[in-house]
Amino acid sequence: MLRTIVVLLLSIGVLSLLWLIRPAPAERIAPTWVVPPPPSGLHERIPAAPPTLAPAPPISTETLLVQPNLDVAIPADLYHPADHPALALQLDQALAYVSARFGSPPTSRMRAQIIHDQGCMLRGLARTDQRVLEVLTCNDLPHHRVINIAAHEFVHQLAHDRYGAVHMQSDLIMLEGIATWGAGSYWLGGSPSFRDFVRDNYSANLLPLATHYRGRSIHDMNQLYYQWASFVEFLLETHGRERLDALAVTGNRQPGSGDYVGVYGVPLAELEQAWRAWQES
Ligand SMILES: [Zn+2]
């Protein structure tokens, strides 16, 4: 496949000029107190202009830290070099945590590439077909925000490994709901579950699950990610993993496009009604 599908997280909701969105903006932001504001979605990296006039910029020196579960590359000018081993270890621990929570490990080794963004826009992306996770950050942003973003992106890789590439084009509710749910404590800010988190933060005004975040506020995008994670939690608790796995490979990237009738025997609307009751119980 010539085109590379990636999952991109942004901290501020503004895409770098290096990125063009395909097929449509797909962004997510989480509360800053839980996760560094990260819009997310499937994106495609568009190759830069042919290097006809100027040579490629030099690649900054970086440290490669080989961890038990992944390789971590950190630029030498990002954070204090003495802190690099701890950051790499935390990333490795996050991968181990989300693998256990998600229920299946990566099928092979991956690389976490930390990038020093001079604009200080925290964001991440997972090139799941290349097994490369990138997080862009800067010295003014704390390590834990990098870890929180990475946790979500790791789950995209795990989901790709478990379900195959078809999952990356599945129902957006499943695509981002599973990644957010899988990030668990890295996104919960101390809440015991996504049901609790949604109840405590959004219950007064739940959005319909089949709502696309495109064109909506950062708050709404954020809320949708948490609602979708809660919906995933609900489906797991009430209908089990096997059906969730079946649903995770259906749909066409539109929220609500999954084959709910084929998998659960009822349309999304009926499941959503049950989820709302469960959510408030
Ligand atoms: Zn995502």
Side-chain angles (χ1 to χ4, degrees):
M1 188 172 182
L2 294 177
R3 297 188 302 182
T4 299
I5 296 173
V6 298
V7 177
L8 176 63
L9 294 177
L10 292 180
S11 63
I12 308 176
V14 179
L15 289 171
S16 161
L17 292 178
L18 289 175
W19 307 97
L20 293 179
I21 300 168
R22 186 196 70 84
E27 302 173 332
R28 173 247 309 150
I29 291 189
T32 53
W33 56 271
V34 174
V35 174
S40 171
L42 292 182
H43 295 259
E44 182 174 23
R45 183 167 191 171
I46 305 301
T52 54
L53 299 177
I59 299 174
S60 62
T61 305
E62 63 182 16
T63 307
L64 182 64
L65 301 109
V66 178
Q67 303 298 300
N69 300 296
L70 80 166
D71 299 329
V72 180
I74 307 175
D77 63 347
L78 179 65
Y79 301 134
H80 194 288
D83 294 333
H84 289 182
L87 177 57
L89 178 61
Q90 287 178 308
L91 284 166
D92 192 74
Q93 291 172 337
L95 176 57
Y97 167 85
V98 299
S99 296
R101 179 174 169 86
F102 181 67
S104 54
T107 53
S108 62
R109 200 167 180 83
M110 71 176 78
R111 176 186 179 96
Q113 179 76 50
I114 312 302
I115 297 172
H116 191 174
D117 181 55
Q118 302 300 329
C120 216
M121 286 176 54
L122 183 67
R123 58 200 189 276
L125 64 92
R127 305 174 187 277
T128 57
D129 55 345
Q130 299 177 26
R131 316 197 65 76
V132 174
L133 167 96
E134 295 181 357
V135 177
L136 289 82
T137 183
C138 71
N139 285 315
D140 292 337
L141 296 171
H143 296 179
H144 73 85
R145 302 184 73 181
V146 173
I147 308 300
N148 289 341
I149 282 188
H152 175 101
E153 297 298 338
F154 283 148
V155 183
H156 279 306
Q157 184 68 62
L158 299 177
H160 187 154
D161 289 352
R162 184 184 184 99
Y163 304 127
V166 63
H167 167 70
M168 305 309 289
Q169 295 297 325
S170 67
D171 186 333
L172 196 61
I173 295 174
M174 289 295 104
L175 183 66
E176 296 300 348
I178 286 174
T180 302
W181 169 83
S185 62
Y186 290 94
W187 277 64
L188 283 168
S191 287
S193 68
F194 284 98
R195 173 162 62 171
D196 286 282
F197 189 96
V198 169
R199 181 192 294 133
D200 293 344
N201 291 278
Y202 304 122
S203 61
N205 187 28
L206 291 176
L207 295 166
L209 289 174
T211 300
H212 204 297
Y213 46 70
R214 185 187 307 131
R216 301 186 72 97
S217 69
I218 287 172
H219 174 276
D220 285 357
M221 291 190 290
N222 186 30
Q223 178 173 341
L224 285 166
Y225 269 65
Y226 279 96
Q227 285 190 206
W228 294 341
S230 174
F231 185 56
V232 166
E233 197 171 87
F234 163 76
L235 292 176
L236 283 168
E237 288 190 15
T238 57
H239 297 283
R241 182 57 177 267
E242 190 173 336
R243 289 190 182 184
L244 184 82
D245 285 349
L247 183 66
V249 294
T250 66
N252 61 8
R253 283 299 312 279
Q254 291 303 308
S257 61
D259 186 11
Y260 296 91
V261 173
V263 174
Y264 293 98
V266 295
L268 172 60
E270 192 167 323
L271 286 167
E272 182 167 357
Q273 190 173 21
W275 166 72
R276 283 180 175 249
W278 171 88
Q279 180 62 62
E280 298 305 321
S281 64

